[in-house]
Amino acid sequence: MGRPAAQEIRYIAVVADRRGAGLGRQIVAAIQSDLPAHGRTLVVGTANSAIDNIAFYQKCGFRMHSVRRDYFDYIQPPVEEHGIVMRDMLLFTYDVSPAPDRSS
């Protein structure tokens, strides 16, 4: 049987007035803890201008994987966040650590 494909987080959100209370981290941690049953890699994408999201996913253990340049070009007029034009999608991955070898 082949290795399961990477799983993807499409959308998660916490209501603005509840942010900073650890709810988002709890949601992601629950998804991460369930991951070994569904594959070894979790993928999430966010806009290059979404500074808070970029920091959040890295704090949750994700690593930057790749950039989809000009991914958001279809959005007209262009959107800005933090004074940065939303252009590219940054992809992050979280890989489950291999289980320790307990044979010895």
Side-chain angles (χ1 to χ4, degrees):
M1 184 170 228
R3 186 175 168 186
Q7 301 301 307
E8 180 181 6
I9 295 176
R10 292 271 176 124
Y11 300 100
I12 62 169
V14 174
V15 176
D17 65 350
R18 300 289 308 271
R19 292 181 188 152
L23 298 173
R25 284 192 192 202
Q26 289 175 20
I27 293 167
V28 171
I31 294 167
Q32 289 169 325
S33 70
D34 197 40
L35 186 60
H38 303 285
R40 302 204 58 79
T41 302
L42 188 58
V43 177
V44 67
T46 194
N48 64 290
S49 55
I51 303 301
D52 295 336
N53 291 353
I54 293 167
F56 171 76
Y57 287 115
Q58 290 182 85
K59 289 176 184 177
C60 290
F62 286 79
R63 302 279 312 269
M64 190 171 292
H65 181 266
S66 59
V67 177
R68 291 186 181 167
R69 293 178 58 87
D70 302 319
Y71 184 87
F72 296 107
D73 274 358
Y74 67 93
I75 298 175
Q76 295 299 323
V79 173
E80 283 190 21
E81 297 176 277
H82 305 286
I84 302 168
V85 175
M86 183 172 64
R87 289 189 179 125
D88 306 321
M89 178 182 287
L90 305 181
L91 292 174
F92 291 85
T93 58
Y94 174 85
D95 294 307
V96 174
S97 300
D101 182 9
R102 300 195 191 277
S103 62
S104 47

